[in-house]
Amino acid sequence: MLSALSALQPRQLATQVLNFALILSTAFMLWKGLSVVADSPSPIVVVLSGSMEPAFQRGDLLFLWNRGQETQVGEVVVYNVRGKDIPIVHRVVQRFGGGDRPLRLLTKGDNNPADDTELYARGQDYLERSKDVIGSVVGYVPLVGYVTIMLSEHPWLKTVMLGLMGAVVVLQRE
C-alpha cells in the first residue's frame, strides 16, 4: 500500500484525498438534509435491544418523522432520557394533555413487563412530547443497522473499516 501511495503523483494524491473528503461531506449533507426534512436531530436510528420484539428486532434501522406532534396511543416513538444520549424505541401506552395543553406520553417496550417510568430521569413520570421525543417511527429496514451495533461492540472494527475505506479511495485509479 505504501509503495502504491509513493507511486502517485502529488496531483493524483490530492485528487484522491479530495474525493474521500467529498464522500464524507456528501454523507454529512444527506444526514443534515434528512434532519431538516424530518424535523428530527436523528432521523435514522438503530434498535439496540430486544425490548420491542416482535415488532422490531435488534439491528433494525428505523426512519423517524417529527412533524405533526399529535402522537397517538399505539404509536412507536424514539426518545432520549434527560441527561443520557441513548435513544430508546418504545410504544406509547398513554397520553395526557394535547390541544392547547402540552402533550405528555407514557411509553413501554412491547417485550417489557412494565412501563418506562423506571427509565425516565429522576422525578419524571412521563415524556414531554416537545422536549423528549426525537420522532415517531414511519418505516424500517430489518437488520441493516447490525453493522452499527458491531462497530459499537467491537471498537477495533471501526479502525479496520476506516483504514479499508481510506485505502480504497487512495488506491483507486481513474
Side-chain angles (χ1 to χ4, degrees):
M1 181 172 138
L2 291 176
S3 62
L5 275 175
S6 62
L8 289 175
Q9 298 295 325
R11 183 175 284 206
Q12 289 174 320
L13 183 60
T15 300
Q16 298 301 1
V17 169
L18 287 175
N19 280 339
F20 189 62
L22 180 64
I23 290 168
L24 291 178
S25 64
T26 301
F28 179 73
M29 287 188 299
L30 285 172
W31 179 262
K32 284 302 179 184
L34 276 174
S35 293
V36 169
V37 169
D39 192 26
S40 174
S42 185
I44 299 173
V45 296
V46 175
V47 177
L48 300 175
S49 74
S51 67
M52 279 302 291
E53 290 179 0
F56 300 113
Q57 308 295 319
R58 188 170 190 251
D60 288 353
L61 190 71
L62 306 179
F63 299 98
L64 307 182
W65 188 257
N66 201 29
R67 297 192 182 277
Q69 298 185 353
E70 280 299 315
T71 305
Q72 301 300 318
V73 171
E75 198 170 319
V76 178
V77 297
V78 178
Y79 66 90
N80 275 336
V81 175
R82 294 176 193 165
K84 298 179 184 170
D85 195 27
I86 299 171
I88 298 175
V89 181
H90 282 173
R91 191 176 305 278
V92 174
V93 292
Q94 281 187 318
R95 60 178 265 153
F96 310 94
D100 58 343
R101 295 180 311 191
L103 182 58
R104 300 175 299 165
L105 308 170
L106 179 64
T107 56
K108 175 186 174 296
D110 290 355
N111 204 20
N112 292 349
D115 63 39
D116 291 349
T117 51
E118 294 296 320
L119 295 175
Y120 300 159
R122 182 178 299 224
Q124 186 180 7
D125 295 326
Y126 51 82
L127 299 173
E128 291 185 37
R129 176 63 175 90
S130 60
K131 293 180 183 176
D132 301 317
V133 176
I134 299 171
S136 298
V137 176
V138 293
Y140 77 102
V141 180
L143 302 175
V144 172
Y146 225 94
V147 173
T148 303
I149 293 173
M150 294 302 293
L151 291 173
S152 296
E153 290 178 354
H154 306 288
W156 60 270
L157 281 175
K158 289 180 189 177
T159 306
V160 170
M161 190 169 158
L162 284 173
L164 288 173
M165 286 173 41
V168 166
V169 168
V170 169
L171 297 176
Q172 175 188 1
R173 303 268 175 152
E174 290 186 13

